Amino acid sequence: MGSVNQGVGEASRTRPVLGAHWGFLAFFAGLGVYHLVTVVMTAMRSGHASVDPLELLDVGPVLLLAFVPSLLLGLAPLVASRRWGNGPRADFGWLPDLRDVKVGLACGVLALLAGYLVNLVLLGIYGTDRVTDSPLTDLAEDGGSDEVLWLALAALVVVVATPMAEELLMRGALWGALEHHRIPRWVILVLTAVVFAYLHGEPTRTLALLAQGLVIGAARLRTGRVGASFVAHAANNLAPALMLFTGS
């Protein structure tokens, strides 16, 4: 009996505690803060309300401010986990271990491939201008040679900070809440991919984002940990982050 209990204890240290009953509260609170801050920041800068935070794009510090709403997506899950759960490490498994890195990198590469293949189809339907008309393309066009530091910081946010915030919200709080209510895991995979596509607000790329969301979610499904989906998400975002410097 002692060895069985010991084995269970070891497993609990490597996999998150699933079934967070406060997950829905954290999820909707995160979305609410995201939209509220987006509207306030955009209204303060341009004098009108909008739901697109990247309309705030500019050079220097303002460029980084454009990412604030996205970064706040992960705040509610963190607060809720510390207040009602066992902490983000136990509830979400958000710090990647070696297996998370391996699975995440594999899924990240597959997500890039999936997005590329779907975009090939979209290019034929919408044309180059509409499919490539994304916020990151605007960032690349707005940046100049004297803004390398700010572009580097923005790239770091795109590859590390934003993926972590989004994963804590979707594959952390929302996934855990749905599992708590015994929703089939394949349904959870699809629902979180839909939320992933919705949050990016790029209608012409919705199918590509949905495909990428499914592959990134597969990392979470495979390991049971947000750390794996975070690595996959970060790997997926590496290419658009490099786009900041190339302007392509």
Side-chain angles (χ1 to χ4, degrees):
M1 181 65 69
S3 60
V4 173
N5 292 334
Q6 182 179 1
V8 173
E10 291 175 353
S12 67
R13 288 195 294 269
T14 58
R15 295 176 66 87
V17 178
L18 304 177
H21 61 282
W22 38 261
F24 284 131
L25 175 62
F27 172 72
F28 287 111
L31 279 185
V33 170
Y34 168 82
H35 287 299
L36 177 62
V37 174
T38 293
V39 171
V40 171
M41 289 178 61
T42 308
M44 290 177 61
R45 179 167 170 78
S46 60
H48 67 277
S50 170
V51 294
D52 184 0
L54 292 181
E55 284 186 4
L56 294 169
L57 292 178
D58 204 338
V59 294
V62 179
L63 184 152
L64 296 182
L65 286 176
F67 294 100
V68 168
S70 295
L71 296 179
L72 290 176
L73 287 170
L75 180 60
L78 287 177
V79 172
S81 176
R82 294 186 181 281
R83 175 64 178 81
W84 296 298
N86 301 296
R89 184 171 184 177
D91 291 332
F92 305 132
W94 69 326
L95 299 179
D97 57 22
L98 182 59
R99 184 165 183 257
D100 292 337
V101 172
K102 292 179 179 179
V103 174
L105 287 177
C107 289
V109 172
L110 289 176
L112 281 172
L113 179 60
Y116 175 74
L117 293 177
V118 174
N119 275 327
L120 285 181
V121 177
L122 296 180
L123 283 171
I125 297 175
Y126 296 112
T128 303
D129 291 339
R130 290 191 64 187
V131 173
T132 59
D133 185 18
S134 71
L136 288 179
T137 301
D138 296 334
L139 268 174
E141 293 173 350
D142 288 349
S145 59
D146 58 339
E147 301 297 334
V148 175
L149 174 60
W150 296 112
L151 289 176
L153 291 174
L156 187 63
V157 172
V158 169
V159 174
V160 179
T162 299
M164 177 56 77
E166 293 180 2
E167 291 308 308
L168 284 172
L169 183 77
M170 292 177 291
R171 256 77 64 163
L174 179 58
W175 190 297
L178 292 171
E179 270 197 336
H180 176 72
H181 291 282
R182 302 184 184 280
I183 304 299
R185 299 184 77 191
W186 70 268
V187 175
I188 298 176
L189 176 65
V190 173
L191 286 177
T192 51
V194 170
V195 175
F196 175 82
Y198 158 75
L199 281 177
H200 287 76
E202 300 174 51
T204 59
R205 295 186 61 243
T206 296
L207 291 179
L209 289 165
L210 181 60
Q212 291 176 310
L214 288 170
V215 180
I216 292 171
R220 170 68 164 84
L221 186 68
R222 175 70 175 172
T223 64
R225 294 168 52 85
V226 170
S229 60
F230 160 64
V231 173
H233 198 156
N236 178 76
N237 281 16
L238 182 59
L242 294 177
M243 189 175 67
L244 296 176
F245 300 94
T246 64
S248 60

